[in-house]
Structures are given as C-alpha cells and as structure tokens.
Amino acid sequence: MDKNNNNSKPTRRDFIYTLTATLGVLGAGASVWPIVSQMNPDSSVKALSTIEVDISKVEEGKEITVMWRGKPVFIKRRTEDEITKARNISLKELPHPENDKKRVIKDEWLVVVGICTHLGCVPINGKGEYGGWFCPCHGSHYDTSGRIRKGPAPTNLEVPKYKFVGEDKIIIG
Amino acid sequence: MKNILKTLIIALIFTSPLNSAENKTKLLEPNWTFDGFFGKFDRASLQRGYQVYKEVCASCHSMSYLSYRNLGEKGGPEFTKQEVKAIASQYEIQDGPNQEGEMFMRPARPSDKFVNPYPNANAARVANGGAYPPDMSVLVKARKGGADYVYSVLMGYTEDVPEGISLEEGVYYNKYMIGNKIRMPKPINDGSVEYTDGTQATEEQISKDVVAFLTWAAEPHLEERKKTGFKAVVYLLILTILGFIIKKKIWLRIEPKV
Amino acid sequence: MSEYSDKKNEEFSPVHTNKVGGSPYTGVIGWIDNRLPIFRIFKHEYLDFQVPKTLNYFWSFGGILMICLIFLIITGLALGMHYKPSADEAFDSVEKIMRDVNFGWLIRYAHMNLASFFFIAVYLHIFRSLYYGSYKEPRQLMWLLGITIFFLMIATAFLGYTLPWGQMSYWGATVITNLFSAIPIVGEGIVTWLWGDYSVGDAALNRFYVLHWLIAFLIVGIVVFHVIALHIVGSNNPSGIEPKDTRDTVSFSPFTTSKDLVGMLVFILIFVAVMMFAPNYLGHPDNYIPANPMVTPAHIVPEWYFLPFYAILRAIPDKLMGVIAMVSSIAILGLLPWLDFSKVRSSVFRPIWKQCVFLFVLDFFLLMYVGAMPAEGIYLVLGRIGTIYWFAFFIILAPLVSMYEKPLPMPQSINEYMDWKKKGKIKTFNFTG
C-alpha cells in the first residue's frame, strides 16, 4: 500500500471493481438457483397431478377416500338431510363464510382435500359436533360442507379442482 | 522449457480416452444438427424419428425411461398436448388394484412410461433367439461413438460377407458393429415407414431421423445444456478478463511498469 | 458436594479462566470477536497474512482445490436428495435425476466432472510441490497430510463411481474390492466382509454410499489440518528461499487473493466448457448400461485419474506383489522429504533433479497411456519400464542426486531472485502473469 503509485482516476478503478463484484454476485446467484430449485417437485411428479375416480359404488351417506398428490381426498355422497344442514345456516355464523353451493358441483357430491387447515392432520369422518369431520390433533370441527365451525383451523377444507366425466366418474386435478 | 510443456500437452492428447480406439473402422459421420456449440434438434426430424421408433423399433426395443409426456416437452419432438394424449392413448397399460383389489387395463396417459414390448428381459431374450434387444433410452450415450456409431450400425449391413467370417443361423454381418456380428436383422430399408410430411423415406433419411430421436431420448436436456453452457462461458470469459485487469492493477502497486 | 467441589476448584483453578477482550474490532463484530475470535483470526490469516511475492499461478491450485471440494459437497448434497442406494433403484434414480429433477442433469454433470477436475488440480498441485521442493523442511507434515488427502480422494472417487450402478460401476467395484483378496489367509474373508454378500450387490452399494459421504467429510477435516499447517510454516515459493522480512512478501489480500481469483476463474471456465459441451468425455460409455452381474464389459478401465496406478498394478505379474506395488507407488511419495535430502528446495537451482522431475511427469503420462491399453505386448513392456522409473525416481534418484548434484549459484533473497530473473540469469517457467 505504501508503494501505491496508481495515478489513474479513482472513478474508473472503482467502476471496474463494482462491475466485477456485481457480475460475480449475479453469477453466484445464478449458480445457487439450480441447487435450490432441485428441491421443488420434479417433472414426473408434476405430470401425475390428475387422478380419475369411479364413484358409482359409493352409497348415499357414505364417503370414500382417495389419494391425490400424496394427500387424502374425501369424496362424500351426502344425504338430503346433510345437504339441508349445510345450506340452512347463515353465512354470518361461519368463521370462514362460504356458500355450500359454491363448494360443490353437484349437490349430492362433496369433494374436499382431507387435510385439516390448521396443521395438516387428517380429520375423522362422522365425528364432531356438526356432522362432518373432526380433527383429532387440535379439535377442529367441520360441517357437512367441510367448513370450519369450531376450533383452531383458520379456513374451510380445501376443494380441489375436479370435474365430472359422465355420471359416475370424476377427474381430480 | 517450452518443449517440455509441448511434450506434456501432446502426451495428454495421446492418452485421452477417445484415442484408445478398438473399433478400427471409421464411423459414418453425418452432419447432425445437434452437434457443435450451438447444436439444436430438428423438431420435424425428431417427430419422424419417433414414428420410426414406434413402427420399426418398438416391437422389440423398450425405452423404459421415457414417458409419453416427454414427447411434448421443450427441447424434444415438441408434439402438441393433444398429439401427446393421442399417442399415449394408443397404448394399454396395467393399473390397479382398484377398489375390488383387481388389476385392470386402461389406456396410457401422458404421465405413463413407454410401454415395454416384453413383460421382462427373459421374455425378450426368448422372443429374439437368445439376444436381448437393449433398452434404447440411453443407448446413444452407452456406445462409444454415440450417434455416429448407432447410425453407422443401421447403415452398416452389407449383402456380401467378407471372407473368413462365418455366420451362424440368425446372425448378420455388420460393417460397423463391434465384432462385426449382429443378431438384429437389417431393420431399416427404403420405405420402411411412410412419412406424412412429404420427406423422402430413404434408408439414410429414416436412419438419421431415428438416431436423432434416440440422441434426444438419451440426452433430453441437450439443447438447454448447450444454450446455458454458451451463456456461462461468455459470462466467465468476461469475468476472467475483468479479474485479470484487477489483478494487474493491484500488482502494479508493487511491480511498477518497467 | 459443594464443599468438595469448592476445594477442587481452589486446588486446580487454572491461571486464566477469562480471556474475553483484545479484539481490534468494535461494535457487534468486536463483541462477538471478544468472545469467539473468528474475525481476528480471519484478519490475521487471510488479510494480513504474509506471502512470498514471487508466487506464480501454480500456487493457485490450493484455492482451486478448496473451491472444487466445496462445489463437490454442495452438488453431492443435492444429488443425495434424489439418489437411491439400492441395486434395484440406483440406475433408475440417476436417470430420474438426469431427466426429471429440476436442473438434475446440470448438478450431476457438475459433480461427475468436478471429480475429474479435482484430480487434474491435485496432480498439478503435487507437481508444483515436486518441482519447487515444497515437501522439504519445514513442510514435511503438510506433505504427509496432502498424501493422506490424496489416498482419501482415491477412495471416495472410487466409491462415488460405483454409485450410478452401471456396468463400469459394478465391475470396477468387483475388481477393486477383489484386490483385497490378494492378502494372504484373511484376504477372502475381508472381501466377503466388504461386500456383506458373496458378490458385489445391494449390501455393498448401500455401504459404499455411506462411506462415500463419510470420506468426503474426512477429506474436509484433513484439509483443515493441511491449511492450518500451511499458516504455521508459510508458503514455499519458486525460488525456494524463505522470505526474510516484509520486503520479500505481500499481504494475502488483495495480492494473493486477486491472483488466485484469476487462476480460479480460468479453471472454472475450462471446467464449465467441458461440463457443458462434452460432459461425458472423461467418463466411459459402458456406465450408461445398467449393471449386469452376468456379463463383464469387453474392456474394463478405471477412470482416467487412476490409470497410472492401474498400469503399475498390471505391470507386476504376481497378484499380491501387484497390489503392494500399486499402493506403495503412492505411499512412497510420503518418504520423499527424507529420500531427497538436498538443502536446495527449488528445481530452478537443481539442473539434474529438474530433469528427473520432468521425466517423472512424462512417466506419469506414459503409465496413464499404458493403463488405458490392453495389458499385452509392447504395452506390458512400456508399463514395466514406467513402473521401474517410478520407483527408481524415489529410491535411487532422489538420494543420489541429493548427494552428487552441484546446485546452481543461488541468490541471497527473494528480491535478488526477482532481480536475477528479470536480467535473464535464471531460466524457469514464465508463469507469473
């Protein structure tokens, strides 16, 4: 340093340092990205994101559970009584107000992801105070539309994207 | 000193793996579009290549690491979504068990792997006179010479067998195959497939298309790799030059120019 | 209890229990540094650390190797998240990495080629030491630690190569583990124990995977020792003359760092070019064929970086002696500081030893070439000549040359060395940039 006899303008020298440092940081960032990105779902997982379910054998009042993206999906064939129960409630009473009609495609069929919105446990069918589901982990009660009624869960059970193919088949995803 | 360095460099080239040649016949080397720094696949050729695989190779050779969805992915044949669905649905695969515990057949979906022509390797061997038709997913990378080698073998069948080579039943002479004997009968002739895009289906053209397809299958990210590679090399060149300038500047503090 | 422990404390209380303080920094950094002196150590060892000012680009390879090791561990970690160490799934999981995992192809190609480039750098690093006498007093222990690292590298590179479970993986594993069967009496037992089976299979692959990781981290550990030792004895330099005061040295930063940076960037540039445009050039096509215990490939060859030692193994017609020769061809490097007892470090001033070192390098390439060829005819002869020179270099040439060689006149200081070099009085690599 004591022998510093550099006479060039400091601005130009500063520029080349800044440029190099900036480029270096950009390059380092770009090479970190693949390492981060590899932890995301890979393309074979993404491609598997739809399933087809035959629902012709589900009886009224019963429910089947199918696996979709590694999670349980409840497919419930609701009785008249259950549908009425889900509809005869004022939205004002709900912690997460959603109309039952908007949560189903056909009134009879309720399709929800069976993961409690609190911390990810699987709620139990037919338990709880509202005739729907009850989560054993922290005591969330869901009604016959899969809506949260009581307990710590913040939102209703998620309705996945699905569609009917004919009378007795649905495609989820 | 320079001479010694030169010798070292020559020695290095000399010892490189490519030079330990065992196959003395010079391979055919067509101009592949995917060669070189800016190499890219020719989509139409890949699509034709898939047709050749489907109609000629697939009856014996599996491609078990590929899924039908790959045919629509970027950097490959890039069939449209509808085309990929249509291709997949031509095949039946076993699924199950269903709610009754039964296995059942259903049409394949894009997410399914290519259907194998044989249930297992032994069945494949029995059906082909004891020779196992190798899986073609990574075939091009698994052969010395790569695409050139596979292309040469496809083009290397000759009628007249050189003297001194005796062929048993079910064995064919091939100019480029290692050992010159092959159990696969000549698979490709003029007009083996009928192209719909008006391309002349000559033996050469068909072989080129299918080898391009196999190259893509073995290295589906080839285009992305070369593109990224080019950018990375340019970036590093700039950074290296900048680094060198900075180094010079810093060292000027103790080594003033003479 | 308390009475007892009080008494103990009184009797055994150390002189200093509290060393907080002394940091050159203030603020938060000073607060931390007073309690955990990492900042002052860093300043002392990496900013103000004095380094001979004559270092040429051969001295970049230490830093380059460090970068290689870090990148290898990072990419290895990422691969480990997707790889499955079982005979049924290994090949498939590697193909999945190459096809489906986001950037999986890039990460695997990087890991594969980094392994090769790690060896390129380490061979140049070792050559640097040989040529400039970096293994001599007081750096013998560094040299021994370095050889330990090299042995561990060989082990972990071999184990890593088995993981994709291709034909070369499988047969390489079979051949190399079978080397242990050369040991009399217990050999067969050891091999079976290594395999956990009666052939290389699922059990072996699983443990190879675990050991591949373990050894990688062992290398990190020994590298730390290697570097600590370097900071005690200081860097050697092309003149081989120890710096006397700060007129002979520069501070590590920014001088050495800027120069190392250039070396690293050039190295990374070459690495990236190879990885992106010829990723399989240094590999073997047979490893893209899934392992098949029923068929051995026509030519099994180890990875290029093992070829010289493989040639030595094959040069000896006896199984046990071959294995012993191969292992000692590396181990003998450890004796070099004592076999070569010349007081002059740098080959720049040792005209005869210099020629011996160059011949040794040529011998290395000769053996590499022979290792890739079939073990017959002229190659066998060449392999034997190469093996003889390899050992003669250490056992005969090193002590003899030390005894009888007349070194060239030497400058008194590093500054004088630079002066002589400028005047053309010294002929050596012009590799200073």
Side-chain angles (χ1 to χ4, degrees), chain C residues 115-430:
Chain C
S116 274
F117 275 75
F118 199 32
F119 274 95
I120 292 176
V122 101
Y123 285 138
L124 287 163
H125 194 59
I126 294 175
F127 166 72
R128 198 279 324 271
S129 292
L130 280 178
Y131 187 80
Y132 295 113
S134 301
Y135 49 83
K136 289 175 181 241
E137 168 69 22
R139 299 182 181 84
Q140 302 96 323
L141 186 60
M142 270 194 84
W143 175 252
L144 292 177
L145 287 168
I147 292 163
T148 314
I149 294 169
F150 184 54
F151 265 118
L152 292 174
M153 274 175 68
I154 290 175
T156 206
F158 156 71
L159 292 169
Y161 194 57
T162 64
L163 300 184
W165 215 235
Q167 274 289 68
M168 279 297 161
S169 300
Y170 183 88
W171 292 100
T174 302
V175 170
I176 300 295
T177 45
N178 261 317
L179 290 179
F180 290 91
S181 71
I183 303 168
I185 308 164
V186 291
E188 293 291 338
I190 289 178
V191 173
T192 314
W193 175 76
L194 283 173
W195 291 344
D197 201 336
Y198 299 101
S199 62
V200 173
D202 202 52
L205 178 58
N206 211 153
R207 64 189 62 173
F208 287 177
Y209 181 54
V210 173
L211 294 173
H212 180 62
W213 274 106
L214 173 73
I215 297 176
F217 287 112
L218 277 180
I219 291 176
V220 174
I222 313 265
V223 164
V224 169
F225 287 164
H226 193 67
V227 172
I228 292 176
L230 168 70
H231 282 252
I232 299 296
V233 296
S235 291
N236 183 27
N237 67 82
S239 74
I241 304 162
E242 289 293 328
K244 294 191 174 55
D245 55 39
T246 48
R247 272 172 303 174
D248 293 335
T249 61
V250 290
S251 50
F252 190 80
S253 192
F255 294 99
T256 315
T257 39
S258 65
K259 195 160 184 169
D260 276 0
L261 189 75
V262 174
M264 285 171 190
L265 283 170
V266 170
F267 189 82
I268 294 174
L269 178 62
I270 298 170
F271 161 70
V272 167
V274 171
M275 167 177 82
M276 290 302 212
F277 294 105
N280 293 306
Y281 179 74
L282 294 165
H284 199 287
D286 278 20
N287 224 24
Y288 282 105
I289 303 172
N292 180 357
M294 312 300 277
V295 185
T296 309
H299 293 285
I300 46 173
V301 241
E303 289 285 79
W304 69 266
Y305 38 81
F306 294 150
L307 288 173
F309 312 109
Y310 189 61
I312 292 176
L313 171 77
R314 297 194 306 183
I316 314 273
D318 181 75
K319 186 174 171 184
L320 178 61
M321 292 311 289
V323 176
I324 291 175
M326 184 174 71
V327 176
S328 35
S329 67
I330 302 165
I332 200 166
L333 282 159
L335 295 177
L336 191 59
W338 294 276
L339 292 170
D340 167 19
F341 43 81
S342 165
K343 289 274 172 275
V344 181
R345 282 205 195 99
S346 174
S347 292
V348 172
F349 305 106
R350 302 185 63 190
I352 300 173
W353 181 245
K354 186 196 272 179
Q355 300 307 321
C356 298
V357 171
F358 279 129
L359 265 179
F360 185 72
V361 173
L362 278 181
D363 190 41
F364 178 83
F365 284 109
L366 171 76
L367 286 170
M368 191 185 262
Y369 175 68
V370 170
M373 291 292 147
E376 58 197 26
I378 179 76
Y379 301 120
L380 208 53
V381 179
L382 285 174
R384 289 193 178 143
I385 295 172
T387 305
I388 290 169
Y389 182 76
W390 185 282
F391 285 102
F393 174 77
F394 294 98
I395 300 170
I396 301 167
L397 291 178
L400 275 186
V401 174
S402 307
M403 241 182 292
Y404 296 110
E405 181 185 44
K406 195 171 172 292
L408 301 178
M410 282 185 50
Q412 290 305 303
S413 69
I414 287 181
N415 268 321
E416 198 179 347
Y417 170 85
M418 290 174 84
D419 206 37
W420 285 19
K421 214 179 142 190
K422 219 171 271 167
K423 287 181 189 146
K425 271 178 133 176
I426 295 172
K427 276 190 179 169
T428 180
F429 289 114
N430 196 10

Side-chain angles (χ1 to χ4, degrees), chain B residues 1 4-5 7-8 11-22 36-38 65-66 69-70 73 113 125 137-138 141-144 216-221 224-226 228-230 232-234 236-237 239-240 243-244 246-248 250-251 253-255 258, chain C residues 53 55 57 91-92 95 98-101 103 105 108-109 131 250 254-256 258-259 261-262 265-266 268-269 272-273 275-286 288-290 299 307 354-355 358 361-362 365 368-369 372-373 418 422 427-429 432-433:
Chain B
M1 210 60 62
I4 292 164
L5 277 178
T7 330
L8 291 184
L12 193 65
I13 293 164
F14 206 47
T15 51
S16 71
L18 280 193
N19 273 291
S20 49
E22 54 213 33
F37 282 91
F38 302 101
Y65 293 112
L66 270 84
R69 66 182 162 86
N70 294 141
E73 280 166 3
K113 293 263 190 272
R125 217 165 267 133
S137 327
V138 267
K141 282 203 283 189
R143 296 291 182 276
K144 191 173 274 180
W216 163 76
E219 188 77 2
H221 298 287
E224 195 189 351
R225 193 186 78 216
K226 293 198 172 178
T228 318
F230 182 74
V233 165
V234 169
L236 282 167
L237 263 177
L239 202 62
T240 308
F244 189 70
I246 286 180
K247 184 251 159 193
K248 278 280 177 208
I250 288 173
W251 281 77
R253 296 179 199 169
I254 53 160
E255 284 173 355
V258 188
Chain C
K53 61 181 178 186
L55 299 192
Y57 279 111
F91 193 90
D92 293 6
E95 272 309 309
M98 294 299 288
R99 289 162 192 277
D100 292 340
V101 172
F103 296 102
W105 59 271
R108 175 165 178 259
Y109 276 153
Y131 187 80
V250 290
F255 294 99
T256 315
S258 65
K259 195 160 184 169
L261 189 75
V262 174
L265 283 170
V266 170
I268 294 174
L269 178 62
V272 167
M275 167 177 82
M276 290 302 212
F277 294 105
N280 293 306
Y281 179 74
L282 294 165
H284 199 287
D286 278 20
Y288 282 105
I289 303 172
H299 293 285
L307 288 173
K354 186 196 272 179
Q355 300 307 321
F358 279 129
V361 173
L362 278 181
F365 284 109
M368 191 185 262
Y369 175 68
M373 291 292 147
M418 290 174 84
K422 219 171 271 167
K427 276 190 179 169
T428 180
F429 289 114
T432 46

Side-chain angles (χ1 to χ4, degrees), chain B residues 60-151:
Chain B
C60 301
H61 290 275
S62 60
M63 278 186 106
S64 48
Y65 293 112
L66 270 84
S67 302
Y68 295 107
R69 66 182 162 86
N70 294 141
L71 295 170
E73 280 166 3
K74 219 173 155 260
E78 295 186 4
F79 285 105
T80 62
K81 260 193 170 166
Q82 279 68 34
E83 285 171 319
V84 172
K85 267 191 186 160
I87 289 170
S89 62
Q90 294 166 2
Y91 297 89
E92 287 258 294
I93 71 157
Q94 199 183 42
D95 200 351
N98 60 15
Q99 281 137 29
E100 281 81 49
E102 312 269 323
M103 302 303 280
F104 58 93
M105 299 301 284
R106 61 160 174 82
R109 303 187 193 119
S111 60
D112 288 315
K113 293 263 190 272
F114 275 26
V115 172
N116 270 2
Y118 301 104
N120 55 56
N122 285 356
R125 217 165 267 133
V126 168
N128 290 283
Y132 172 61
D135 184 271
M136 300 212 297
S137 327
V138 267
L139 187 79
V140 169
K141 282 203 283 189
R143 296 291 182 276
K144 191 173 274 180
D148 290 338
Y149 174 76
V150 179
Y151 176 78

Side-chain angles (χ1 to χ4, degrees), chain C residues 8-60:
Chain C
K8 259 215 128 144
N9 272 346
E10 217 171 279
E11 254 182 45
F12 295 107
S13 77
V15 181
H16 300 289
T17 51
N18 187 329
K19 293 182 190 168
V20 174
S23 172
Y25 298 99
T26 53
V28 180
I29 291 178
W31 187 87
I32 297 172
D33 195 49
N34 276 328
R35 286 154 183 81
L36 178 71
I38 41 175
F39 293 103
R40 127 180 57 146
I41 290 174
F42 183 77
K43 181 180 184 326
H44 189 255
E45 300 297 340
Y46 287 99
L47 301 179
D48 306 338
F49 188 61
Q50 291 299 304
V51 176
K53 61 181 178 186
T54 37
L55 299 192
N56 60 31
Y57 279 111
F58 271 119
W59 266 264
S60 304

